[in-house]
Amino acid sequence: MGFRIIGTGRSVPQRAVSNDEIAKFVDTSDEWISQRTGIKNRYISVGETLNQLSAQASEKAMEMAGVTADSIDLIIVGTLSPDRIIPSAACELQAAIGAKNAVAFDINAACSGFLFALQIANGFFATGGAKRALLVGAEVLSKMTDWTDRGTCVLFGDGAGACIVDYDKDATVTFSSGSDGTKGDALCIDNRPLNNLFIKNEAPLDHTHMDGQEVFKFAVKTVPRAIEDAMMKAGIKAEDVDVFLLHQANLRIIESVAKRLKRPMELFPLIMSEFGNMSAACVPVLLDIQVRNGTLQRGMQTVMAGFGAGLTWSAAVFVY
Ligand code: UT7
């Protein structure tokens, strides 16, 4: 058993920010950012909330699927940057779109969030807990970014991607997911400091810290392994795959994965040039673009993979 993706959508803030514009604020250049990452642009919130972006992406996904909000019985939002700590982004999304029959919750698996959401939804399908899910990857990373740190602020963007996924008893999907908490410090943001009646703490709120090379090494080693494992479980080889939808952290990481799998770069669509790294939103936004431009066709053997803070990773193999 598995699922069928019946609708997709995306939304990004209106404000586009080029590399040249960032170079006015920190010591960097379009040349450095483009060559090292493949990123040329990103969208940054100037007021759009995660809830607004998620709701817009979800409305588009529902419209494509031709379904109403009350037919959705599971909502999972993968995010590390919800508008509020409680209620969850998923519960706020439920209220915004009127999905009154859904159970709704968030998961924080950073850039793997959308893939983990897909795997959890598949578990709900398997146990009869849901028949139709709305899965969202959404981030407003800009509020957590240290805009004086050129090592991180050039990388990230804001946005949301959504898809409507139906249970399908005849479909198959395989996953290969994992985590390595011992490497958590490689990409981290501390929560608000402990501050109560008994301890006073004036520390400011923390921002994103990343050991880029550590995360890079992890990604180029772990992502191909996860994809190979998911393909092995599915009984297919890399040559059988029509498209690889990968998390868009860095062009060089995707080139390395393609090389390791011995597949041409044409099978790895890229969107980091326009959107930057939107963490959990990357894969569903990429999915929506491929569906809407007709590149992703029914029957295509598809691989999706995410990786990031935790450290976490996940790959899925399914037929679109
Ligand atoms: O989505 C979550 C997962 N995240 C990732 O997958 C990120 C993985 N890591 C990466 O994509 C890359 O490591 C980065 C793009 C973050 C950095 O690229 P790098 O090739 O690993 O550069 P580096 O950190 O080794 O820095 C090389 C040099 C340094 O200068 P020195 O020490 O050689 O003089 C940095 O200070 O580049 C400098 N540098 C910059 N220069 C201009 C770092 N950031 C910048 C910048 N502009 N924005």
Side-chain angles (χ1 to χ4, degrees):
M1 61 126 285
F3 58 79
R4 186 171 166 86
I5 297 170
I6 61 167
T8 62
R10 69 178 186 275
S11 176
V12 294
Q14 292 217 332
R15 179 73 160 89
V17 178
S18 68
N19 290 347
D20 285 334
E21 195 169 357
I22 293 194
K24 289 182 193 156
F25 299 96
V26 290
D27 182 15
T28 188
S29 64
D30 175 47
E31 190 189 5
W32 192 96
I33 304 169
S34 308
Q35 286 182 0
R36 298 274 179 142
T37 70
I39 296 166
K40 293 194 83 65
N41 183 77
R42 72 286 293 143
Y43 297 90
I44 299 293
S45 171
V46 288
E48 294 94 339
T49 64
L50 186 119
N51 186 242
Q52 287 166 344
L53 297 172
S54 305
Q56 283 162 6
S58 300
E59 298 282 2
K60 288 177 190 164
M62 286 189 291
E63 191 187 342
M64 184 191 287
V67 304
T68 52
D70 58 6
S71 71
I72 295 166
D73 39 29
L74 172 66
I75 300 175
I76 310 177
V77 178
T79 186
L80 64 89
S81 52
D83 294 327
R84 304 161 94 182
I85 292 176
I86 49 171
S88 67
C91 284
E92 293 211 294
L93 176 59
Q94 174 189 30
I97 62 172
K100 58 181 188 294
N101 297 315
V103 56
F105 57 91
D106 293 355
I107 55 149
N108 176 355
C111 309
S112 311
F114 181 77
L115 267 295
F116 279 25
L118 195 58
Q119 190 164 9
I120 295 168
N122 206 49
F124 268 71
F125 294 156
T127 53
K131 285 201 156 54
R132 172 166 296 158
L134 166 60
L135 306 179
V136 175
E139 305 287 6
V140 179
L141 299 172
S142 58
K143 68 186 172 191
M144 297 169 158
T145 299
D146 177 353
W147 288 98
T148 65
D149 175 15
R150 68 178 183 173
T152 52
C153 78
V154 302
L155 304 174
F156 301 111
D158 300 332
C163 66
I164 303 283
V165 179
D166 272 4
Y167 167 68
D168 182 348
K169 67 175 172 35
D170 299 322
T172 55
V173 57
T174 57
F175 290 94
S176 179
S177 305
S179 309
D180 181 0
T182 67
K183 303 257 171 53
D185 284 344
L187 180 46
C188 58
I189 310 170
D190 287 346
N191 206 336
R192 58 176 74 187
L194 183 64
N195 203 348
N196 59 38
L197 271 183
F198 312 102
I199 177 168
K200 288 283 166 245
N201 199 330
E202 304 300 328
L205 285 181
D206 197 27
H207 291 103
T208 308
H209 306 275
M210 182 167 72
D211 180 341
Q213 291 196 1
E214 179 78 21
V215 181
F216 193 101
K217 279 187 269 172
F218 145 75
V220 298
K221 191 172 77 181
T222 311
V223 177
R225 274 191 201 157
I227 292 174
E228 279 165 350
D229 187 46
M231 289 190 306
M232 191 191 71
K233 288 174 182 165
I236 64 162
K237 294 194 162 54
E239 302 86 86
D240 303 321
V241 176
D242 297 306
V243 65
F244 295 84
L245 304 177
L246 266 51
H247 174 50
Q248 304 279 305
N250 189 314
L251 171 62
R252 290 183 292 138
I253 292 176
I254 295 180
E255 285 173 343
S256 167
V257 174
K259 197 169 166 196
R260 166 81 185 269
L261 296 173
K262 300 192 177 66
R263 300 308 294 146
M265 275 301 284
E266 296 80 68
L267 300 183
F268 294 74
L270 304 169
I271 60 164
M272 83 275 289
S273 166
E274 179 180 356
F275 298 93
N277 179 350
M278 300 178 290
S279 186
C282 277
V283 171
V285 169
L286 176 61
L287 171 71
D288 181 55
I289 290 171
Q290 300 312 301
V291 169
R292 285 178 192 270
N293 71 15
T295 313
L296 188 56
Q297 302 269 333
R298 288 290 171 202
M300 281 173 76
Q301 187 75 59
T302 306
V303 166
M304 275 186 187
F307 56 91
L311 299 171
T312 57
W313 62 91
S314 181
V317 173
F318 61 96
V319 174
Y320 173 70

